[in-house]
Amino acid sequence: MRRYTNIFSSEHNRLSGRVLLVMMTSSLLLAACSQPNAAADSTPATEPTTATPTEQPKAEIMPVSAHSDTQPTILKNISATVYKDANCGCCKEWVGYVEGHGLNATAQNVEDLSLFKERYSVPQQMRSCHTAVTTDGYVFEGHVPAKYMAQFLKNPPSDAIGLAVPGMPVGSPGMEYQDKFMPYKVMQLNKDGSTAIYATIESPQQQS
């Protein structure tokens, strides 16, 4: 009887450890987006909501370097409205990041982000915490690097409506956390509702 009791205790301890690890990892991924904004944006939200992050592929955590400032005006002469939650800290970080690359961004705090994602045809599995729409009607969902925004806008594919970075990958623009980086994909959103890989980001240098 003691033998079975010991086996049960050992299995229970291992299971508890795995549950704790999953909870800690989830907390780290959401940490950057859970900080309230210190300054108010253009339209306060009375009932903040956030998009549910999509699951990112398991990948090795790598050191992250600072974003390059060698092309600070690659989004010059481009204007966009960013629909976001009033309390989303990483959304505000991303807006500051693209403004640093020349984008004329107007932040709009909205009560129901899903309405805007549906309006601009962002597929459910491609959604993130904010949606940017240029004056030309192109959509950039989530933490898309300025480099790929500029590349897309310079020569937009005829069947595409924009780009998306699903979820909130650690180390992507606006989602910096300590020295961590998780590889991710920039996805092309097509007019027919389909998606395709636009770029695979495997190191911090690729998004600079």
Side-chain angles (χ1 to χ4, degrees), residues 41-82:
D41 289 309
S42 56
T43 309
T46 57
E47 295 181 2
T49 59
T50 55
T52 303
T54 56
E55 183 178 356
Q56 293 296 307
K58 294 182 179 179
E60 179 183 359
I61 299 297
M62 304 165 57
V64 62
S65 60
H67 295 299
S68 171
D69 290 325
T70 56
Q71 296 177 305
T73 59
I74 58 175
L75 295 176
K76 185 179 179 181
N77 298 324
I78 298 171
S79 298
T81 300
V82 183

Coordinates of all heavy atoms in Angstrom, one line a residue, residues 41-82:
D41 N -5.5 58.6 -24.6 CA -5.5 58.8 -26.0 C -6.7 59.5 -26.4 O -7.4 60.1 -25.6 CB -5.3 57.4 -26.7 CG -3.9 56.8 -26.5 OD1 -3.0 57.6 -26.8 OD2 -3.8 55.7 -26.1
S42 N -7.1 59.4 -27.7 CA -8.1 60.3 -28.2 C -9.5 59.9 -27.7 O -10.3 60.8 -27.5 CB -8.1 60.3 -29.7 OG -8.2 58.9 -30.2
T43 N -9.9 58.7 -27.6 CA -11.3 58.3 -27.2 C -11.3 57.3 -26.1 O -11.0 56.2 -26.2 CB -12.0 57.7 -28.4 OG1 -11.8 58.5 -29.6 CG2 -13.5 57.5 -28.1
P44 N -11.6 57.8 -24.8 CA -11.6 56.9 -23.7 C -12.6 55.8 -23.8 O -13.7 55.9 -24.4 CB -12.0 57.8 -22.5 CG -11.7 59.2 -23.0 CD -12.0 59.1 -24.4
A45 N -12.3 54.6 -23.3 CA -13.2 53.4 -23.4 C -13.8 53.2 -22.0 O -13.1 53.2 -21.0 CB -12.4 52.2 -23.8
T46 N -15.0 52.9 -22.0 CA -15.7 52.7 -20.7 C -15.6 51.3 -20.2 O -15.6 51.0 -19.1 CB -17.2 53.2 -20.7 OG1 -17.8 52.5 -21.8 CG2 -17.2 54.7 -21.0
E47 N -15.6 50.4 -21.2 CA -15.5 48.9 -20.9 C -14.5 48.3 -21.8 O -14.7 47.8 -22.8 CB -16.9 48.2 -21.2 CG -18.0 48.8 -20.2 CD -19.3 48.0 -20.5 OE1 -19.3 47.1 -21.4 OE2 -20.3 48.4 -19.9
P48 N -13.2 48.4 -21.3 CA -12.1 47.9 -22.1 C -12.2 46.4 -22.5 O -12.6 45.7 -21.6 CB -10.8 48.2 -21.3 CG -11.3 49.2 -20.3 CD -12.7 49.0 -20.1
T49 N -11.9 46.1 -23.7 CA -11.8 44.7 -24.1 C -10.5 44.5 -24.8 O -10.0 45.4 -25.4 CB -13.0 44.3 -25.0 OG1 -13.0 45.2 -26.1 CG2 -14.3 44.5 -24.3
T50 N -10.1 43.3 -24.8 CA -8.9 42.9 -25.6 C -9.2 41.7 -26.4 O -9.9 40.8 -26.1 CB -7.7 42.6 -24.7 OG1 -8.1 41.6 -23.7 CG2 -7.3 43.9 -23.9
A51 N -8.4 41.6 -27.6 CA -8.6 40.4 -28.4 C -7.9 39.2 -27.7 O -6.9 39.4 -27.1 CB -7.9 40.7 -29.8
T52 N -8.4 38.1 -27.9 CA -7.8 36.9 -27.4 C -6.5 36.5 -28.2 O -6.6 36.3 -29.4 CB -8.7 35.7 -27.4 OG1 -9.9 36.1 -26.6 CG2 -8.1 34.5 -26.7
P53 N -5.4 36.5 -27.5 CA -4.1 36.1 -28.3 C -4.2 34.7 -28.9 O -4.7 33.8 -28.2 CB -3.0 36.2 -27.2 CG -3.6 37.0 -26.1 CD -5.1 36.7 -26.1
T54 N -3.7 34.6 -30.1 CA -3.7 33.2 -30.7 C -2.4 32.6 -30.2 O -1.4 33.2 -29.9 CB -3.7 33.3 -32.2 OG1 -2.6 34.2 -32.6 CG2 -5.0 33.9 -32.7
E55 N -2.4 31.3 -30.2 CA -1.3 30.5 -29.7 C -0.1 30.6 -30.6 O -0.3 30.4 -31.8 CB -1.7 29.1 -29.4 CG -0.6 28.2 -28.8 CD -1.0 26.8 -28.6 OE1 -2.2 26.5 -28.8 OE2 -0.2 26.0 -28.2
Q56 N 1.0 30.9 -30.2 CA 2.2 30.9 -31.0 C 3.0 29.6 -31.0 O 2.9 28.9 -30.0 CB 3.2 32.0 -30.5 CG 2.6 33.4 -30.6 CD 2.4 33.8 -32.1 OE1 3.3 33.7 -32.9 NE2 1.2 34.2 -32.4
P57 N 3.7 29.3 -32.1 CA 4.4 28.0 -32.1 C 5.5 28.0 -31.0 O 6.1 29.0 -30.7 CB 5.1 28.0 -33.5 CG 4.3 29.0 -34.3 CD 3.8 30.0 -33.3
K58 N 5.7 26.8 -30.4 CA 6.7 26.7 -29.4 C 8.1 26.9 -30.0 O 8.4 26.4 -31.1 CB 6.7 25.3 -28.7 CG 5.4 25.1 -27.9 CD 5.4 23.7 -27.3 CE 4.1 23.5 -26.5 NZ 4.1 22.1 -25.9
A59 N 8.9 27.8 -29.4 CA 10.2 28.1 -30.0 C 11.1 28.5 -28.9 O 10.8 28.8 -27.8 CB 10.0 29.3 -31.0
E60 N 12.4 28.4 -29.3 CA 13.5 28.7 -28.3 C 13.5 30.2 -28.0 O 13.3 31.1 -28.9 CB 14.8 28.3 -28.9 CG 16.0 28.6 -28.0 CD 17.3 28.3 -28.7 OE1 17.3 27.8 -29.8 OE2 18.4 28.5 -28.0
I61 N 13.6 30.6 -26.7 CA 13.7 32.0 -26.3 C 15.1 32.4 -26.6 O 16.1 31.8 -26.2 CB 13.3 32.1 -24.9 CG1 11.9 31.7 -24.6 CG2 13.5 33.6 -24.4 CD1 10.8 32.5 -25.3
M62 N 15.2 33.6 -27.3 CA 16.5 34.1 -27.7 C 16.7 35.5 -27.2 O 15.7 36.2 -27.0 CB 16.7 34.1 -29.2 CG 16.5 32.7 -29.8 SD 16.2 32.8 -31.6 CE 17.7 33.7 -32.1
P63 N 18.0 36.0 -27.0 CA 18.2 37.4 -26.6 C 17.7 38.3 -27.6 O 17.8 38.0 -28.8 CB 19.7 37.5 -26.4 CG 20.2 36.0 -26.2 CD 19.2 35.2 -27.0
V64 N 17.2 39.4 -27.2 CA 16.6 40.4 -28.2 C 17.5 41.7 -28.1 O 17.9 42.1 -27.1 CB 15.2 40.8 -27.8 CG1 15.0 41.4 -26.5 CG2 14.6 41.7 -28.9
S65 N 17.7 42.3 -29.3 CA 18.5 43.5 -29.4 C 17.6 44.6 -29.6 O 16.5 44.5 -30.0 CB 19.6 43.4 -30.5 OG 18.9 43.2 -31.7
A66 N 18.1 45.8 -29.5 CA 17.3 47.0 -29.7 C 16.9 47.2 -31.1 O 17.7 46.7 -32.0 CB 18.0 48.3 -29.2
H67 N 15.7 47.7 -31.4 CA 15.3 47.9 -32.8 C 16.3 48.9 -33.5 O 16.7 49.9 -32.9 CB 13.9 48.5 -32.9 CG 12.9 47.5 -32.3 ND1 12.7 46.2 -32.9 CD2 12.0 47.5 -31.3 CE1 11.8 45.6 -32.3 NE2 11.4 46.3 -31.3
S68 N 16.5 48.7 -34.8 CA 17.4 49.6 -35.5 C 16.8 50.9 -35.8 O 15.6 51.0 -36.0 CB 17.8 48.9 -36.8 OG 18.5 49.8 -37.7
D69 N 17.6 52.0 -35.7 CA 17.1 53.3 -36.0 C 17.7 53.8 -37.3 O 17.8 55.0 -37.5 CB 17.5 54.3 -34.8 CG 16.6 54.0 -33.6 OD1 15.4 53.6 -33.8 OD2 17.2 54.1 -32.5
T70 N 18.3 52.9 -38.1 CA 18.9 53.3 -39.3 C 17.9 53.8 -40.4 O 18.3 54.4 -41.3 CB 19.8 52.2 -39.9 OG1 19.0 51.0 -40.1 CG2 20.9 51.8 -38.9
Q71 N 16.7 53.4 -40.3 CA 15.6 53.8 -41.2 C 14.5 54.4 -40.5 O 13.4 53.9 -40.5 CB 15.2 52.6 -42.0 CG 16.3 52.0 -42.9 CD 15.8 50.8 -43.7 OE1 15.3 49.9 -43.1 NE2 15.9 50.8 -45.0
P72 N 14.7 55.6 -39.8 CA 13.6 56.2 -39.0 C 12.5 56.8 -39.7 O 11.5 57.1 -39.1 CB 14.4 57.3 -38.2 CG 15.5 57.6 -39.1 CD 15.9 56.4 -39.8
T73 N 12.6 56.9 -41.1 CA 11.5 57.5 -41.8 C 10.9 56.6 -42.9 O 10.4 57.1 -43.9 CB 12.0 58.8 -42.5 OG1 13.1 58.6 -43.3 CG2 12.4 59.9 -41.4
I74 N 11.1 55.3 -42.7 CA 10.6 54.4 -43.8 C 9.1 54.4 -43.9 O 8.5 54.0 -44.9 CB 11.1 52.9 -43.5 CG1 10.6 52.4 -42.1 CG2 12.6 52.8 -43.7 CD1 10.9 51.0 -41.9
L75 N 8.3 55.0 -42.9 CA 6.9 55.1 -43.0 C 6.4 56.5 -43.2 O 5.3 56.9 -42.9 CB 6.2 54.5 -41.8 CG 6.4 53.0 -41.6 CD1 5.8 52.5 -40.3 CD2 5.8 52.2 -42.8
K76 N 7.4 57.4 -43.6 CA 7.1 58.8 -43.8 C 6.0 59.0 -44.8 O 5.9 58.2 -45.8 CB 8.3 59.5 -44.2 CG 8.2 61.1 -44.3 CD 9.5 61.7 -44.7 CE 9.3 63.2 -44.9 NZ 10.6 63.9 -45.3
N77 N 5.1 60.0 -44.6 CA 4.0 60.3 -45.5 C 2.9 59.2 -45.5 O 2.0 59.2 -46.4 CB 4.5 60.5 -47.0 CG 5.5 61.7 -47.1 OD1 5.3 62.7 -46.4 ND2 6.5 61.5 -47.9
I78 N 2.9 58.3 -44.5 CA 1.9 57.3 -44.4 C 1.1 57.6 -43.1 O 1.7 57.9 -42.1 CB 2.4 55.9 -44.3 CG1 3.2 55.6 -45.6 CG2 1.3 54.9 -44.1 CD1 3.9 54.3 -45.6
S79 N -0.2 57.6 -43.2 CA -1.1 57.9 -42.0 C -1.9 56.7 -41.8 O -2.4 56.0 -42.7 CB -1.9 59.1 -42.3 OG -1.2 60.3 -42.4
A80 N -2.2 56.4 -40.5 CA -3.0 55.3 -40.1 C -3.8 55.6 -38.8 O -3.3 56.3 -37.9 CB -2.2 54.0 -40.0
T81 N -4.9 55.0 -38.7 CA -5.7 55.0 -37.4 C -5.5 53.7 -36.7 O -5.6 52.6 -37.3 CB -7.2 55.2 -37.7 OG1 -7.4 56.5 -38.3 CG2 -7.9 55.2 -36.3
V82 N -5.1 53.7 -35.4 CA -4.9 52.5 -34.7 C -6.0 52.3 -33.7 O -6.2 53.1 -32.8 CB -3.5 52.5 -33.9 CG1 -3.3 51.2 -33.2 CG2 -2.4 52.8 -34.9

